Amino acid sequence: MNDKMFKKIRFRLTLLFTSLIVIFLISFTVISYSLLSSLITNKQKEQVITLAEAEYAEHKNELFHWYDHAKNVSSNKARNDYLEYNPEAPFFYYVITRNGEILDGDESFPELRENILKTIHGWIPQNEEVRHETIKMQNGKTISLLLSGKSVFKNGVYIGTIYTGTNITMQTYVVKTSLMILSLISLVFIGLSALLGYYMSGKAMVPIAKSFQKQKEFVANASHELRTPLSIFQSSLEVIEADEREKMGEFSLLVLDDMKDEVKRMTKLINDLLLLARSDADAVELNKQWFELEPIINELIRKCLPWAEQKNIEFLTNIQEGITMYGDKERITQLLLILLDNAVKYNVENGLIRIMISRESQNIKIEINDTGIGIPKEHLHHIFERFYRVSKARSRQLEGNGIGLSIAQWIVDTHGGTISVQSEEGKGSCFIVTLPQPIQ
């Protein structure tokens, strides 16, 4: 874990904190808007329904009288002389016959009459039914209305309707303005929350960074100190083997060989740990140069052959002729060895390993495909993490320690490339490395 990883974690913490604030503010805004809109609308609905009941009680006899005397049955023209103009009133009503004739009414904005009559034409309101209508005026203004009404029947025959309504344009404007203000305030608080979250996550990372720094120093120091006794131990075993091998029994030779193998394994583990510790401290310098890939692949295949032959594993290569790349030759070799070692280690009897290397535009693409046991889907996102092992029992049996792929990831990252894996349990794995190249 380096500064880049700490920044990534800090960003994630900030994003998480900000996301929670965003969810809270959006919920608060939506709930506040809904409650305010509901309170205003419900209040207006109750008033317009109450007005309909009141006007029904007051004016239904006019419709009865009209029906009994059949006045102006053929006329659909509004009788404006019956309408009262009351500019101060927020409500209005119309008493309209089944033929569309206005018998009575009270209005505060006669300029809306024509549009209102078109809107309510043919509408026979049900009990306590309310409609929300929007009327667009010629001057571009939009008027919001709540309409209700009470139908009048005599002996089961529909004879007319008393329509009531109220202008809620101002209330609608207040609600929309409140929503706008709440949204702006929420945006400001989201921005402040992001800054605060970034600051607080930085504070939270300080003790973690210090603890990790001490851990890195310990690993680096311990790894460095262990290299010397292991080197001495290995040299001592080689001396013993050279001087005393002919005098040793079969069992003693087996013990000696096992000790040599364990020393080699421990030396490799210590070297890997030291490399990771140095990489975390950005103390590893790359020695980049141009080199050919095919000789390196052939050499690595020869190194892997003793293990591969034990399982009767075959290598197939498809390497673009004369392909060269620019990078740290030692690290790229280490990367390829890690991938080939895994391809052999986790392959099956009579398996196959395909190695494909080609240049695509300004990138070198390396694919190492095996027919091995594969990786379960739920583990694919974790295999490049340090010390992560898909199966501890399997890794222990195959001498895996969960470091190799994290080193491979570091090598690829330091070269500005990408590494990914495609795998299915029981059907093998394919590691794909893409390394950018300068223009020759």
Side-chain angles (χ1 to χ4, degrees):
M1 186 185 296
N2 48 26
D3 290 339
K4 183 179 178 181
M5 185 61 69
F6 275 115
K7 290 179 181 179
K8 190 175 181 180
I9 294 175
R10 185 178 184 182
F11 174 77
R12 287 181 177 177
L13 289 174
T14 303
L15 184 62
L16 177 61
F17 177 77
T18 306
S19 299
L20 293 175
I21 295 297
V22 168
I23 293 173
F24 171 78
L25 289 176
I26 289 177
S27 301
F28 173 77
T29 301
V30 170
I31 293 173
S32 299
Y33 171 77
S34 301
L35 287 175
L36 180 61
S37 178
S38 177
L39 286 173
I40 293 177
T41 303
N42 289 339
K43 183 66 176 179
Q44 296 296 324
K45 284 182 178 179
E46 291 177 2
Q47 292 179 346
V48 80
I49 290 172
T50 301
L51 179 64
E53 294 286 349
E55 299 300 336
Y56 172 81
E58 183 176 349
H59 298 285
K60 63 180 179 179
N61 290 329
E62 294 182 28
L63 285 169
F64 290 155
H65 182 73
W66 170 85
Y67 180 70
D68 291 338
H69 294 84
K71 291 182 178 180
N72 302 318
V73 174
S74 62
S75 175
N76 289 326
K77 186 177 180 181
R79 301 270 302 279
N80 297 343
D81 55 316
Y82 287 102
L83 296 175
E84 296 182 9
Y85 175 60
N86 189 356
E88 302 297 329
F91 298 96
F92 63 89
Y93 74 90
Y94 295 110
V95 180
I96 301 179
T97 69
R98 65 182 182 183
N99 295 333
E101 179 182 359
I102 302 177
L103 295 183
D104 199 352
D106 190 347
E107 59 185 4
S108 53
F109 25 80
E111 66 275 11
L112 295 179
R113 184 192 310 146
E114 183 178 353
N115 290 320
I116 294 173
L117 293 177
K118 287 181 180 179
T119 301
I120 63 178
H121 179 70
W123 175 40
I124 302 178
Q126 302 299 315
N127 187 39
E128 296 188 353
E129 181 183 357
V130 178
R131 285 170 54 174
H132 185 191
E133 299 289 346
T134 301
I135 297 175
K136 191 169 184 179
M137 305 295 292
Q138 292 181 350
N139 58 7
K141 291 184 178 181
T142 300
I143 305 299
S144 295
L145 301 174
L146 279 183
L147 303 174
S148 186
K150 191 85 172 174
S151 300
V152 181
F153 295 85
K154 187 171 184 179
N155 299 325
V157 178
Y158 170 69
I159 61 174
T161 302
I162 300 172
Y163 296 99
T164 58
T166 181
N167 185 353
I168 60 168
T169 303
M170 182 56 67
Q171 291 86 341
T172 303
Y173 172 78
V174 169
V175 172
K176 290 183 177 179
T177 302
S178 300
L179 176 62
M180 187 185 306
I181 293 173
L182 285 172
S183 300
L184 290 175
I185 293 175
S186 298
L187 288 175
V188 172
F189 272 93
I190 288 172
L192 294 175
S193 299
L195 294 175
L196 179 61
Y198 187 76
Y199 174 78
M200 294 301 295
S201 61
K203 287 291 185 182
M205 294 297 294
V206 169
I208 300 175
K210 289 182 179 179
S211 176
F212 185 71
Q213 181 63 32
K214 291 181 180 179
Q215 178 185 333
K216 286 196 303 181
E217 292 173 357
F218 169 77
V219 172
N221 293 333
S223 300
H224 182 73
E225 294 298 327
L226 284 171
R227 292 177 73 182
T228 300
L230 282 174
S231 298
I232 296 173
F233 193 23
Q234 185 173 3
S235 300
S236 301
L237 289 174
E238 291 175 354
V239 171
I240 292 173
E241 183 181 21
D243 294 342
E244 305 293 336
R245 187 173 184 86
E246 294 180 357
K247 302 177 184 179
M248 291 182 179
E250 183 178 350
F251 179 75
S252 297
L253 289 174
L254 288 175
V255 171
L256 182 63
D257 290 338
D258 289 341
M259 291 176 66
K260 288 170 60 180
D261 291 339
E262 286 300 315
V263 170
K264 289 180 180 179
R265 189 176 69 85
M266 288 297 298
T267 301
K268 181 180 182 302
L269 176 59
I270 293 301
N271 288 334
D272 289 344
L273 288 173
L274 185 58
L275 175 62
L276 288 175
R278 292 176 62 199
S279 69
D280 288 335
D282 293 327
V284 181
E285 294 184 1
L286 298 182
N287 181 23
K288 291 188 176 182
Q289 58 182 308
W290 286 100
F291 59 91
E292 292 188 8
L293 278 172
E294 188 168 5
I296 294 176
I297 291 294
N298 293 334
E299 180 184 351
L300 293 176
I301 290 176
R302 286 195 299 271
K303 289 183 177 180
C304 294
L305 272 178
W307 312 322
E309 289 176 349
Q310 295 177 10
K311 295 183 179 180
N312 196 27
I313 296 172
E314 182 182 358
F315 288 91
L316 290 180
T317 60
N318 183 6
I319 303 174
Q320 185 175 324
E321 185 177 355
I323 188 169
T324 60
M325 76 164 293
Y326 184 76
D328 189 312
K329 184 177 179 180
E330 180 183 353
R331 298 305 172 196
I332 296 299
T333 302
Q334 185 179 14
L335 165 68
L336 294 171
L337 179 59
I338 290 170
L339 297 180
L340 287 175
D341 180 59
N342 281 349
V344 173
K345 188 183 298 181
Y346 297 106
N347 216 320
V348 295
E349 296 287 339
N350 302 312
L352 181 66
I353 297 174
R354 294 185 181 91
I355 304 168
M356 292 171 283
I357 302 178
S358 61
R359 178 180 286 273
E360 296 182 355
S361 184
Q362 295 301 316
N363 296 313
I364 296 292
K365 185 177 182 182
I366 302 171
E367 293 186 39
I368 297 181
N369 198 332
D370 67 69
T371 56
I373 56 179
I375 305 169
K377 184 178 180 180
E378 62 271 19
H379 296 281
L380 286 175
H381 297 293
H382 302 285
I383 61 171
F384 294 105
E385 298 175 5
R386 295 182 187 181
F387 306 106
Y388 185 85
R389 292 178 290 185
V390 174
S391 171
K392 293 183 179 180
R394 182 179 70 174
S395 298
R396 192 181 302 112
Q397 181 183 1
L398 298 174
E399 299 182 354
N401 51 40
I403 299 179
L405 287 178
S406 61
I407 293 177
Q409 174 84 70
W410 170 77
I411 294 172
V412 172
D413 288 343
T414 56
H415 282 78
T418 61
I419 182 171
S420 60
V421 60
Q422 299 173 357
S423 183
E424 187 175 347
E425 192 171 10
K427 296 186 178 180
S429 304
C430 179
F431 284 85
I432 303 170
V433 176
T434 303
L435 299 171
Q437 297 294 291
I439 301 176
Q440 296 187 31

